[in-house]
């Protein structure tokens, strides 16, 4: 056999091997996994070659894309998860669907969710995500695993302690008051002394300003540059979220990829400059006095006192807490003000509490701890309109989960929005706004102590939850001291999941100063 014959045989072997692997992944495994779950009573939409359930999901999303919900309804499932809304009525709350060739089991049971999220042995890890999402959020504490996660968590924990966070209330207040003064100036020249505000856009800018000041201190201007790049990067990621991902396609010079590369380079350059300047400053005398009270300074300081994070890791953590720190709190404030604009009685109750505990003064951390009703309202807002509507985990081995056998590499999608609306946990008023359900704390708000998972639970509970709640309480207090809010008549109630839960058509409100 000549050289050409040998090459031809080799090519045939390679081709046959590739076809066999494709058939195993795209035909045989889906068949086996589907039958395995059917025997356990877990069913779902039929698997379609290579596409799985994606085509049907896109069709359902398209149907609801321009629809708005009843403004008095807090049942967002039909809009946010149209596929789950349809499939759960056909197959039950625990169901199997396919994202391309990847099996995904929806979990809407608090016991199973606790079992997954509380596991400390690495049996359920964060699932693999698209490279573009890593560029957006960073491979920081959210996505690292194993010993790297333990090291990052140990280094970052001191920076998020309440004692360290309390000193940031002044910076949060300063940023907020600046925004409110602009609102008042607009209202004073309006004919009816009332200003219409796109509250979601304003809160997005505000929380970016806050995280820039509290994270980067004197480098907050550069921090805002990083925010703008990250904001556009988020839009690029959201646009392709439901498209089929082909491994290696992130390296192709498509218009979308080229834009993502440019934004990623800009984000990296900005963060590298901020971190480099800070490290240089910390090398000078008394520099720690100037920078110890912002998150970057605290992170670097903690790192220098333990296993040091390198430049790349610090930059990735900056991406993580910059995205998570402004995006989630912005949406929490947006939906809280939506609920208070709808429920004027609760807006009055909160304002009364604020004036009793804080008067007209700028609140400090001690005042904020006394705002019990404010805390309840924020928790109820997180229950009904939490920024994170779903958590994903991947089984690293064949696992027993409750009564279910879960094959290795199956994705488990914990539907937080469904758990937060389950009447068996929250009662007949599960879809209603009732902050008093939290009067005795989170663990007693529902019949199941772990039915509230807005910040996750277990070892990977959100490290920034204290910061988020402190920031939200500060901003909300200052708002209630100065303005009364009502919904604008043109508001369309259309919550949409774009990595976080956002109002699809914006949230216009009317703000009227309490004192003119």
């Amino acid at each position: 056999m000549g050289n050409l014959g040998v090459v031809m045989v080799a090519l045939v072997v390679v081709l046959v091997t590739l076809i066999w692997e494709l058939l195993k992944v795209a035909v045989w495994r889906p068949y086996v996994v589907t039958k395995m779950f059917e025997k356990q009573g877990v069913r779902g939409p039929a698997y379609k070659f290579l596409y799985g359930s994606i085509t049907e999901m896109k069709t359902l999303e398209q149907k609801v894309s321009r629809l708005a919900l009843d403004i008095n309804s807090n049942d967002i499932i039909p809009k946010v998860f149209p596929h789950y809304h349809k499939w759960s009525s056909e197959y039950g709350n625990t169901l199997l669907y396919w994202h391309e060739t990847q099996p995904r089991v929806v979990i809407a049971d608090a016991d199973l969710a606790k079992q997954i999220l509380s596991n400390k042995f690495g049996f359920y890890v964060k699932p693999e995500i698209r490279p573009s999402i890593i560029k957006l959020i960073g491979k920081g504490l959210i996505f690292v695993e194993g010993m790297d996660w333990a090291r990052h968590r140990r280094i970052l924990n001191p920076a998020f302690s309440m004692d360290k966070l309390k000193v940031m209330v002044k910076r949060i207040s300063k940023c907020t008051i600046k925004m409110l003064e602009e609102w008042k100036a607009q209202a004073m020249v309006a004919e009816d002394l009332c200003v219409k505000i796109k509250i979601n856009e304003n809160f997005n800018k505000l929380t970016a300003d806050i995280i820039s000041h509290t994270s980067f201190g004197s480098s907050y201007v550069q921090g805002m540059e990083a925010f703008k790049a990250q904001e556009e990067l988020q839009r690029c990621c959201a646009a392709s979220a439901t498209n089929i991902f082909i491994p290696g396609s992130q390296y192709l010079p498509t218009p979308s990829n080229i834009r993502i590369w440019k934004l990623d380079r800009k984000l990296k350059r900005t963060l590298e400059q901020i971190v480099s300047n800070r490290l240089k400053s910390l090398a000078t005398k008394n520099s720690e006095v100037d920078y110890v009270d912002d998150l970057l300074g605290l992170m670097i300081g903690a790192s220098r006192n333990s296993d040091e994070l390198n430049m790349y890791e610090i930059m990735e953590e900056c991406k993580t807490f910059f995205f998570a720190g402004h995006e989630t709190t912005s949406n929490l404030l947006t939906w809280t003000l939506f609920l208070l604009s709808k429920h004027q009685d609760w807006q009055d109750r909160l304002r009364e509490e604020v004036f009793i505990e804080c008067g007209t003064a700028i609140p400090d951390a001690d005042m904020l701890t006394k705002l019990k009703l404010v805390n309840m309202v924020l928790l109820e807002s997180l229950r009904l309109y939490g920024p994170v509507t779903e958590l994903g985990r991947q089984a690293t081995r064949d696992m027993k989960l409750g009564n279910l056998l879960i094959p290795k590499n199956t994705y488990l999608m914990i539907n937080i929005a469904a758990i937060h609306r389950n009447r068996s946990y929250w009662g007949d008023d599960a879809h209603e706004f009732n902050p008093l359900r939290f009067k005795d704390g989170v663990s007693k708000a529902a019949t199941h102590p772990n039915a509230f998972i807005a910040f996750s639970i277990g070892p990977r509970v959100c490290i920034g939850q204290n910061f988020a709640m402190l920031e939200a309480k500060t901003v909300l207090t200052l708002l209630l001291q100065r303005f009364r809010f009502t919904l604008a008549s043109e508001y369309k109630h259309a919550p949409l999941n774009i990595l976080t839960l956002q109002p699809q058509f914006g949230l216009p409100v009317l703000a009227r100063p309490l004192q003119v």
Side-chain angles (χ1 to χ4, degrees):
M1 185 183 294
N3 290 337
L4 182 58
V6 172
V7 171
M8 291 299 292
V9 170
L11 287 174
V12 169
V13 170
V14 170
L15 183 60
V16 169
T17 301
L18 289 174
I19 292 173
W20 173 242
E21 289 299 320
L22 176 62
L23 290 173
K24 280 200 302 184
V25 171
V27 178
W28 177 244
R29 183 168 182 258
Y31 173 79
V32 171
V33 171
T34 298
K35 290 300 180 184
M36 177 181 177
F37 277 111
E38 283 180 350
K39 289 179 180 178
Q40 301 180 74
V42 177
R43 307 174 71 87
Y47 167 79
K48 301 293 176 59
F49 182 68
L50 290 181
Y51 282 81
S53 311
I54 285 181
T55 302
E56 187 176 354
M57 290 175 69
K58 281 190 169 184
T59 300
L60 292 169
E61 288 171 3
Q62 188 63 34
K63 283 183 178 179
V64 302
S65 62
R66 306 304 297 176
L67 296 179
L69 301 174
D70 181 339
I71 197 171
N72 295 312
S73 172
N74 296 314
D75 183 10
I76 65 173
I77 301 292
K79 175 72 175 175
V80 177
F81 293 110
H83 56 286
Y84 178 74
H85 178 65
K86 179 179 184 292
W87 296 337
S88 61
S89 65
E90 298 174 17
Y91 308 111
N93 290 334
T94 302
L95 58 91
L96 170 71
Y97 73 98
W98 295 82
H99 191 273
E100 301 167 17
T101 60
Q102 177 65 56
R104 297 190 171 188
V105 175
V106 179
I107 302 296
D109 179 277
D111 279 318
L112 298 184
K114 179 188 177 184
Q115 190 174 332
I116 295 166
L117 298 174
S118 298
N119 187 276
K120 300 178 180 179
F121 305 105
F123 297 156
Y124 302 105
V125 299
K126 292 289 182 79
E128 294 180 12
I129 59 171
R130 297 188 178 204
S132 58
I133 301 294
I134 288 289
K135 291 182 186 298
L136 170 66
I137 303 179
K139 197 162 187 179
L141 195 62
I142 291 178
F143 292 127
V144 290
E145 293 288 348
M147 296 304 294
D148 277 340
W149 174 83
R151 178 169 60 92
H152 282 234
R153 184 86 184 202
R154 184 174 63 253
I155 291 170
L156 294 174
N157 263 335
F160 287 90
S161 68
M162 278 305 298
D163 288 340
K164 296 285 176 61
L165 294 177
K166 283 180 180 179
V167 301
M168 297 183 185
V169 172
K170 287 185 179 179
R171 290 185 179 182
I172 296 170
S173 299
K174 184 177 180 181
C175 294
T176 307
I177 290 171
K178 178 184 175 184
M179 179 187 73
L180 298 183
E181 287 176 347
E182 293 174 359
W183 291 4
K184 186 172 182 179
Q186 294 173 36
M188 295 302 290
V189 298
E191 187 174 335
D192 56 354
L193 296 178
C194 185
V195 60
K196 184 184 295 184
I197 297 166
K198 292 182 179 178
I199 207 70
N200 56 308
E201 294 180 7
N202 277 255
F203 282 156
N204 204 29
K205 292 176 183 176
L206 171 63
T207 54
D209 192 26
I210 289 172
I211 202 69
S212 293
H213 279 84
T214 56
S215 297
F216 303 122
S218 62
S219 302
Y220 76 91
V221 174
Q222 290 171 299
M224 286 299 288
E225 290 179 15
F227 157 70
K228 290 174 184 176
Q230 202 173 38
E231 189 177 41
E232 188 171 347
L233 194 54
Q234 180 181 358
R235 288 195 290 269
C236 293
C237 294
S240 61
T242 56
N243 294 336
I244 286 182
F245 175 69
I246 301 172
S249 62
Q250 70 269 30
Y251 302 113
L252 298 176
T254 63
S256 176
N257 280 344
I258 290 171
R259 187 61 189 151
I260 287 173
W261 298 340
K262 287 181 179 178
L263 291 168
D264 183 48
R265 284 197 298 269
K266 181 179 179 181
L267 185 57
K268 283 180 178 176
R269 281 198 304 267
T270 305
L271 291 175
E272 187 173 9
Q273 189 175 4
I274 292 172
V275 176
S276 294
N277 289 342
R278 181 62 57 86
L279 290 172
K280 289 176 184 176
S281 297
L282 285 170
T284 63
K285 291 182 180 180
N286 298 323
S287 58
E288 291 193 27
V289 174
D290 297 327
Y291 298 113
V292 74
D293 63 343
D294 63 59
L295 289 176
L296 179 58
L298 291 169
M299 183 170 66
I300 292 174
S303 174
R304 290 154 77 93
N305 294 328
S306 57
D307 301 325
E308 189 168 314
L309 294 176
N310 59 41
M311 169 70 84
Y312 168 78
E313 290 174 319
I314 290 175
M315 285 171 56
E316 294 301 289
E317 288 295 352
C318 285
K319 283 186 193 179
T320 297
F321 65 66
F322 200 86
F323 177 83
H326 100 268
E327 180 79 11
T328 54
T329 310
S330 169
N331 290 311
L332 168 58
L333 285 165
T334 295
W335 292 115
T336 301
L337 207 62
F338 161 73
L339 289 166
L340 290 177
S341 296
K342 273 208 320 176
H343 300 275
Q344 291 289 319
D345 55 333
W346 272 99
Q347 189 178 152
D348 290 338
R349 291 177 72 172
L350 261 61
R351 187 175 288 109
E352 182 181 1
E353 180 183 62
V354 165
F355 281 132
I356 289 173
E357 300 298 345
C358 308
T360 58
I362 296 173
D364 58 30
D366 292 332
M367 292 177 184
L368 295 175
T369 59
K370 298 176 183 178
L371 301 177
K372 306 302 182 185
L373 291 177
V374 170
N375 191 62
M376 290 180 213
V377 165
L378 287 170
L379 291 173
E380 181 71 338
S381 179
L382 283 167
R383 184 183 74 86
L384 291 172
Y385 295 93
V388 179
T389 56
E390 188 176 51
L391 291 173
R393 292 293 186 269
Q394 184 177 7
T396 58
R397 62 187 71 186
D398 292 344
M399 291 296 299
K400 182 75 180 297
L401 178 65
N403 295 321
L404 297 177
L405 292 175
I406 306 294
K408 180 181 178 180
N409 291 328
T410 299
Y411 280 26
L412 301 164
M413 310 306 294
I414 300 170
N415 193 319
I416 297 175
I419 293 174
H420 282 182
R421 285 164 174 76
N422 190 318
R423 285 189 170 87
S424 64
Y425 304 138
W426 300 96
D428 291 337
D429 66 343
H431 291 284
E432 296 174 19
F433 176 68
N434 177 17
L436 289 176
R437 70 177 83 245
F438 289 99
K439 67 181 184 299
D440 295 319
V442 169
S443 63
K444 295 181 180 179
T447 58
H448 193 291
N450 300 112
F452 182 79
I453 49 178
F455 293 107
S456 188
I457 54 175
R460 298 197 70 136
V461 65
C462 176
I463 194 174
Q465 64 175 311
N466 287 336
F467 178 77
M469 292 297 284
L470 186 73
E471 180 181 355
K473 285 180 185 177
T474 304
V475 174
L476 195 56
T477 297
L478 292 168
L479 262 64
L480 291 168
Q481 285 176 330
R482 289 160 173 79
F483 289 89
R484 173 172 292 282
F485 301 94
T486 54
L487 281 175
S489 58
E490 66 266 31
Y491 170 67
K492 295 179 181 178
H493 190 39
L496 187 67
N497 192 36
I498 310 176
L499 299 184
T500 56
L501 189 70
Q502 303 176 26
Q504 182 179 351
F505 306 115
L507 180 56
V509 300
L510 301 177
R512 186 181 299 277
L514 294 180
Q515 296 180 342
V516 295

